[in-house]
């Protein structure tokens, strides 16, 4: 076997162990009783150690050196590039630092669950200092190895190729028009009235409705399922994608659109190239592109007039005995496009969401690059929140800088993916509309033309192209925030 | 670390991988959509190879040699004995034979699924010849290594320490009284009338009833769950036991008692000694002892008058709108103690079941020892079926020698466990009744005294004692079929 073939076989082995990790991880979140946790954690830790061993096998470095000399055809240079990327990512950090960060992160996150509720910044700050310090060390090592700046090296984990320079440009542009647009929309909506769900919405009926919507979105039930968990997610493996939601008996609106969102993630996974299954090149391109698919489903398709017509009709025939005006198209549309300046990112609407992300981006960028101290964060948070959304978080850590889990265990560099995803989604839709009558497809109830475009241009590419190449091949240009702005103006003004 | 400590740590690692295998195996049977099968099979095969590598690490043989010289106290000699037993079992066979048998077994089992339906003995026989040949080779290698006869060496996989000599004695004794007893009981029952379930029994209600019965049996829901699968089983790990059942909308009787049976397996697993978790000495003693616990729950407790009173009341209040006479105690008792000579082992009642097992035992014993040929099996099956149950299977392979999955992939030596389990259960009950008022405990609805006895005498022992030692310490003597006979006479005559 050539070195390249040896590498592929080795990564197939790793992929098999990752499969077990994905399924047992899904089980832990959606099925496992609490008493199973200790033994499961031990088993998962053992598996992580094993996967890490496979990823850092000394032999691999010879194979990569040899494979570089082998003549590779077709997709194989890209396959090798992605193999090498995953291998380098896994071998960059000294094991001691990985363990120290994992320990400090677990400790900080665990305490944060209580401290957040108690608005206890003092307590949190003590644990977090260590997480920030170790993350800065990590970023520096990654920077030294890649020639990137420390924060760019962290970005590279989640968004390969994306750099501070382009994020600054994109987000600075957004900042020039977003606050004003938000004010205009809120002003416009202030005169509108609508009905919010009240009464009881049976969870079995909510589930049936969710499954019906997943069918409309052509989720492949032969290769996946819908279950429940406290924090909704898309897990499993491409041949068996597990999405979850959380039901609230008092309303169905959030869970229903949550299912649309996770179905977007799921169809990307289900649509990845089967010929590259088990290889990094066959995996999703990046966190931002993954989010572009969930947001394409949730925001571009899911909140379109044509789709909201389906949702309102399906919900109306599911929940009998409620006020029928609740399920009127107009009312549904208002429910799903309401804009409000508020503190919490995960509850934010489409229009204010980028403000939450830009705020976090600017803070974590400066923190990781060592330009600010972790103790500066609450004040910076408050001043940016005032600037972007006109809200003060002075003394309010619970709904301020302590609201997210990401920073507690050092996942710096992740936040930009959310807004990159929203921007990619808008750009994909604009490109799709050149050849597909999207609104007609949605209205007809057969959304296949939409999914064919996504499959051909995004899903089937896996990681064969870089993100820039992928976006250019799909839309004719690299990321352009103009499409996102136009989309928001069209929908909300 | 001492060699003994090294061995324990190594087996804890193996146990962690077995944990992942158990959970993903449960998932494949109860959750996974069909399309997930190929990737899952690959992942599970990779895991098996890894576990096999860990079990056959050359280093282990040195550690075992050293550990034999170390001075071990308390439970540790038994812990070492069981470590060694699992290691020896895994290292006995050449890998080539394991692979060949696994391949031949998969091929034979796969084809059997169709061939059985088509009564195609000719087709089956061709594949089975190879399975039998390889199983005979396996038995001979095991015999050479252990000094046992070939069949005893196979028995030793499932029932360590149990030998043909004692099985012959036990089963020959059963054969002297069972056929006559069956005839007497059928004659007695022929004049009885009873009502069978008819109409629809909602599966959600069946599940609610099953959960209620599991609560009565003190299943620990913090360490386990109930789900559905085509073939009911008890899986998972001791800290998180997964039992399954299968619902039939036309009746609830079978699934309900099936849940009682699996709960017996589950409580054994949940009651294993936590201090020995992850070590072979902390696992269930044998297949026969495992079955003794499921049959203790199903036959000794579950079919007692006092328990059937609970079942009939619980079912009656679950399924409204049915004929109330269906749920009368007398009727339930008749439903659950009906005896019938029939072809299929898995559907057999308590009384005829041993006949099915003895027939299989006698045939597989002679087959593995080379005293008969695999082509002799249909004729032998027919003649023994005539002798024990008065039924002919001439030309009827579907409901004759092709009915079970066990032989298709070479699991010879397993069948006796079922009847050994029934015998152990009867003997445990007789011993328990010396100190526990079993009927009063069941009638009161608080079955704790029963479970305390089982926990103290069986569950908490894990595999610290040999089977003979365990049975003797619990009941004062080794296995004695007399208790089983008395139990059957008391219940059915």
């Amino acid at each position: 076997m050539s070195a390249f073939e040896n590498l592929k076989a080795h990564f197939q082995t790793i992929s098999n162990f990752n499969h077990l990790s994905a399924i047992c991880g899904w089980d832990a979140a959606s099925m496992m009783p609490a008493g199973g946790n200790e033994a499961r954690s031990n088993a998962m830790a053992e598996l992580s150690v094993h996967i890490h061993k496979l990823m850092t096998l000394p032999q691999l470095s010879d194979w990569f050196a040899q494979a570089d000399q082998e003549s590779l055809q077709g997709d194989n240079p890209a396959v090798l590039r992605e193999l090498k990327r995953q291998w380098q990512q896994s071998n960059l950090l000294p094991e001691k630092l990985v363990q120290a960060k994992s320990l400090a992160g677990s400790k900080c996150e665990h305490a944060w669950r209580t401290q957040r509720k108690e608005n206890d910044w003092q307590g949190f700050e003590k644990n977090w200092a260590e997480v920030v310090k170790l993350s800065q060390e990590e970023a520096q090592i990654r920077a030294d190895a890649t020639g990137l700046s420390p924060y760019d090296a962290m970005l590279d984990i989640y968004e390969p190729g994306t750099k501070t320079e382009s994020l600054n440009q994109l987000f600075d542009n957004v900042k020039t028009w977003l606050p004003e647009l938000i004010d205009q929309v809120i002003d416009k909506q202030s005169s509108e009235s609508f009905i919010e769900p009240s009464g009881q919405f049976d969870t079995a009926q909510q589930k049936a409705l969710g499954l019906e919507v997943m069918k409309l979105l052509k989720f492949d039930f032969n290769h996946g399922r819908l279950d429940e968990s406290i924090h909704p997610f898309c897990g499993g493996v491409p041949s068996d994608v597990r999405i979850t939601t959380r039901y609230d008996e008092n309303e169905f609106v959030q869970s229903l659109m949550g299912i649309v969102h996770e179905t977007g993630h799921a169809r990307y996974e289900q649509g990845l190239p089967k010929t590259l299954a088990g290889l990094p090149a066959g995996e999703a391109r990046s966190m931002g592109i993954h989010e572009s698919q969930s947001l394409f489903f949730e925001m571009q398709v899911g909140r379109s007039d044509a789709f909201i017509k389906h949702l309102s009709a399906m919900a109306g025939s599911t929940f009998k005995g409620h006020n029928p005006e609740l399920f009127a198209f107009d009312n549904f549309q208002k429910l799903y496009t309401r804009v409000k300046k508020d503190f919490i990112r995960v509850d934010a609407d489409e229009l204010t969401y980028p403000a939450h992300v830009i705020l976090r981006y600017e803070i974590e960028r400066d923190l990781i690059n060592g330009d600010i101290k972790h103790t500066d964060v609450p004040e910076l948070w408050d001043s940016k929140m005032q600037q972007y959304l006109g809200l003060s978080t002075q003394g309010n850590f619970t709904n301020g800088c302590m609201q997210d889990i990401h920073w507690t265990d050092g996942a710096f560099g992740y936040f930009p993916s959310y807004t990159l995803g929203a921007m990619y989604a808008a750009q994909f839709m604009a490109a799709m509309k050149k050849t597909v009558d999207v609104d007609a497809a949605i209205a007809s109830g057969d959304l296949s033309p939409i999914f064919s475009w996504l499959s051909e241009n995004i899903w089937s590419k896996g990681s064969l192209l870089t993100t820039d190449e992928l976006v250019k091949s799909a839309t004719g240009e690299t990321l352009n925030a103009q499409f996102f702005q136009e989309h928001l103006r069209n929908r909300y003004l």
Side-chain angles (χ1 to χ4, degrees), chain A residues 430-463:
Chain A
M432 186 186 293
K433 283 189 168 169
K434 289 180 197 161
T435 54
V436 178
D437 188 341
V438 171
D439 291 326
I442 300 175
S444 77
D446 177 6
L447 285 69
S448 311
I450 297 169
F451 304 137
S452 297
W453 192 97
L454 290 173
S455 170
E456 195 181 317
N457 289 284
I458 315 289
W459 305 342
S460 67
K461 306 289 188 195
S463 288

Side-chain angles (χ1 to χ4, degrees), chain A residues 134-146:
Chain A
L134 293 168
S135 299
Q136 286 169 333
E137 276 180 46
E138 174 186 353
Q140 193 55 57
I141 292 171
R142 290 180 180 277
D144 292 344
T146 55

Side-chain angles (χ1 to χ4, degrees), chain A residues 11 57 115 162 182 184 200 208 212 251 294 300 332 334 358-359 408 431 449:
Chain A
F11 274 77
L57 212 66
Q115 288 161 345
T162 295
I182 292 172
Q184 281 178 282
Q200 276 241 320
E212 205 185 336
E251 68 101 8
S294 56
Q300 298 296 326
F332 251 58
K334 285 175 190 154
I358 293 170
L359 173 157
T408 67

Side-chain angles (χ1 to χ4, degrees), chain A residues 85 89 101 138 142 151-162 284-290 364 406 409-417 420 467:
Chain A
R85 184 181 139 71
Q89 288 285 344
K101 194 187 166 196
E138 174 186 353
R142 290 180 180 277
Y151 185 67
D152 280 1
M154 294 300 283
L155 269 180
D156 198 58
I157 306 171
Y158 310 103
E159 284 306 307
T162 295
R285 176 62 278 181
S286 73
M287 289 298 159
I289 297 296
H290 226 309
E364 68 175 20
H406 304 57
D409 55 7
F412 296 102
Y414 190 106
F415 280 123
S417 309
L420 289 173
T467 309

